[in-house]
Amino acid sequence: MHSIRQQPFKTAVLALVWGWLLFLVLAPNLLVVGASVMTRDPATFLSLPLNLDAYRQLFDPLYLDVFLHSLYMAAMTTLICLLIGYPFAWALSKVARQRQLLLIFLLIVPFWTNSLVRTYALKLILATNGLLNKALLSVGLIEEPLQMLYTEGAVIIGLVYLLLPFMILPLYSVFDDLRQELLLASHDLGAGRLATFVHVIVPLTLPGVLAGVMLVLLPAMGLFFVPDILGGSRNLLVGNVIKNQFLDARNWPFGAAASILLTLAMALLMFAHKLSKRRLGEEGA
Amino acid sequence: MKTWLPRTYLTLVYILLYVPIVVLVVFSFNDARTGYDWGGLSLRWYEALFNNTAMVRAMWNSLWLALSAATVSTLIGALTALALHRYRFRGKRVLNGMLFVVMMSPEIVLAISLLALFLLVGLQLGYVSLLLAHVTFCLPFVVITVMARLSGFDESLPEAARDLGASDFIMTRTVLIPAIMPALLAGWLLGFTLSLDDVVVSTFVSGPSYEILPLRIYSMVRVGLKPEVNALGTLLLVFSLVMLMLSQWILIRSKR
């Protein structure tokens, strides 16, 4: 079909993109896997012999606590995003079309602003002499300013604030596809509102939920600047551990092993997402 | 049907999303020294910002990096999307899969893997390492944006152009490129924003020779409050809004 003259173009394009991906995606990731099984070396970062010490260190109670705490904060973030985002996406999908576009635009605008600057803005609000405390004091709800900054709650608020649209957008897209006839059919077949929600709406929106969870849960473990600005030294994420190990402690094998842990978590979530979509496809057929 | 409940709810969430931004903008004009109290209107933080030479240099560095990263990733991404759309080749699924994995990977995983690579090959950390890293994480977004446009594209148009005797080059220039122009623009803007906003990857792959804005801000806000950051944040917000509106304007114009 295509003439010979096109072939050099095809070859060149494919070589370029393959080259880029192999050199800047595949090779670096293999290096990380390699680094995780090597020995820490203060001078050259890494040295032989090969061993699994780094992985053993992941289960060191000290780090295990940090990881579990990070997982807990990420899970809370995801849950809160879901609780806010699910009804939000539902309500959004019911708004008139023209206004929907404007509302989505408004949802995205803040996310065109530097995330670091937005995290910093939260500090103005949450600080001990910040705006929220001042407001609460002036209406007499509290008598002493509350310690909100440098707490677990502040980190979770920061993460929710940064990641909420990543939950809302995939949910909005499944609600937008949700066909009204299915809801009417469910109603005609005698299902109440609750039964329709549990048996029709929830299963049909599940892929959106999982996509949202995937887009929120993993970054919520990696965004190290949020605890740096809002959380103090006791509320660390996996991302902070990886960063410290690579840039400060110079313990590459351990940092690499922690990063592989995150990658495995990602693979698991992607698999669950795929499974839910496939199940839905079979039921729909 | 009750409509006030969803409406109230939507409004409430939007208010919560915008409060920090409004606070930031208002406080950027604050004359007070402490940062938490209101001391009247003033432009002193904007003045302080522009008198801070390290900050201004970082701003230019960031802009230049974002411009070049967006341009390179749009070029490579558009070519990749065209190849994925038009050609059949071995490993197509693997290529798609790799792009998807890059998009979904936690940034920090990408960041340390690139740092390991750059140190291994002995690349000095600076503009080049930042550019390579930024193009890599922008690439999948450009490919997806252009692919989406191509998948809705009427295949009979290029066929007709060929039947009328247009060479492949002419056909690409006169039919394909105008058709995917909005996607190219959208992809470019997405890349530009992603690059300008990135903190995580840049923390790892930048060196002292090329300081960029997010890292400059990062080192400032970690210790206490810096009112200049309010001014900078406001400027960045206005800048993004102008870019966004410009792109909308071009899109609307291109449809006429």
Side-chain angles (χ1 to χ4, degrees), chain A residues 9-10 18 20 28 84 103 105-106 112-116 120 123 127 129 134 161 228 239 252 259 270, chain B residues 9 14 17-18 36-37 87-88 91 100 108 112-113 119 135-136 193 197 214 218 221 226 230 237 240 244:
Chain A
F9 176 70
K10 173 179 171 181
W18 272 119
W20 193 284
I84 299 177
L103 287 177
F105 181 78
L106 283 177
W112 277 64
T113 322
N114 199 289
S115 49
L116 207 51
Y120 168 78
K123 200 174 187 171
N129 47 356
K134 282 205 179 112
Y161 182 52
D228 269 358
W252 280 35
S259 142
M270 275 165 89
Chain B
Y9 181 67
Y14 276 110
L17 283 177
Y18 276 87
Y36 292 114
D37 300 300
Y87 300 134
R88 249 180 288 173
F100 186 64
I108 192 149
I112 59 158
S113 70
L119 289 182
V135 171
T136 304
T193 323
D197 185 40
Y218 191 36
V221 298
K226 290 285 189 304
N230 299 335
L237 179 71
S240 320
L244 206 57

Side-chain angles (χ1 to χ4, degrees), chain B residues 45-62:
Chain B
W45 302 117
Y46 289 88
E47 214 181 302
L49 188 67
F50 286 105
N51 286 330
N52 184 338
T53 42
M55 188 66 115
V56 173
R57 192 172 338 111
M59 233 186 277
W60 284 118
N61 282 348
S62 270

Side-chain angles (χ1 to χ4, degrees), chain A residues 87-150:
Chain A
F88 185 91
W90 197 348
L92 190 60
S93 73
K94 296 217 180 270
V95 174
R97 200 78 192 160
Q98 199 59 36
R99 192 173 284 178
Q100 245 175 54
L101 292 175
L102 178 71
L103 287 177
I104 289 174
F105 181 78
L106 283 177
L107 191 66
I108 296 170
V109 166
F111 303 91
W112 277 64
T113 322
N114 199 289
S115 49
L116 207 51
V117 171
R118 276 183 295 132
T119 312
Y120 168 78
L122 285 178
K123 200 174 187 171
L124 288 173
I125 296 171
L126 298 175
T128 311
N129 47 356
L131 294 179
L132 188 55
N133 266 324
K134 282 205 179 112
L136 291 175
L137 281 170
S138 69
V139 295
L141 269 174
I142 52 171
E143 279 167 14
E144 291 282 303
L146 301 172
Q147 171 69 38
M148 287 180 280
L149 205 57
Y150 309 125

Side-chain angles (χ1 to χ4, degrees), chain B residues 187-226:
Chain B
W188 190 90
L189 281 166
L190 197 58
F192 187 84
T193 323
L194 286 171
S195 166
L196 204 59
D197 185 40
D198 174 72
V199 185
V200 175
V201 175
S202 303
T203 303
F204 284 82
V205 300
S206 76
S209 66
Y210 200 83
E211 194 180 33
I212 56 173
L213 207 49
L215 299 186
R216 182 88 220 146
I217 303 175
Y218 191 36
S219 62
M220 286 178 80
V221 298
R222 277 168 88 176
V223 279
L225 283 187
K226 290 285 189 304

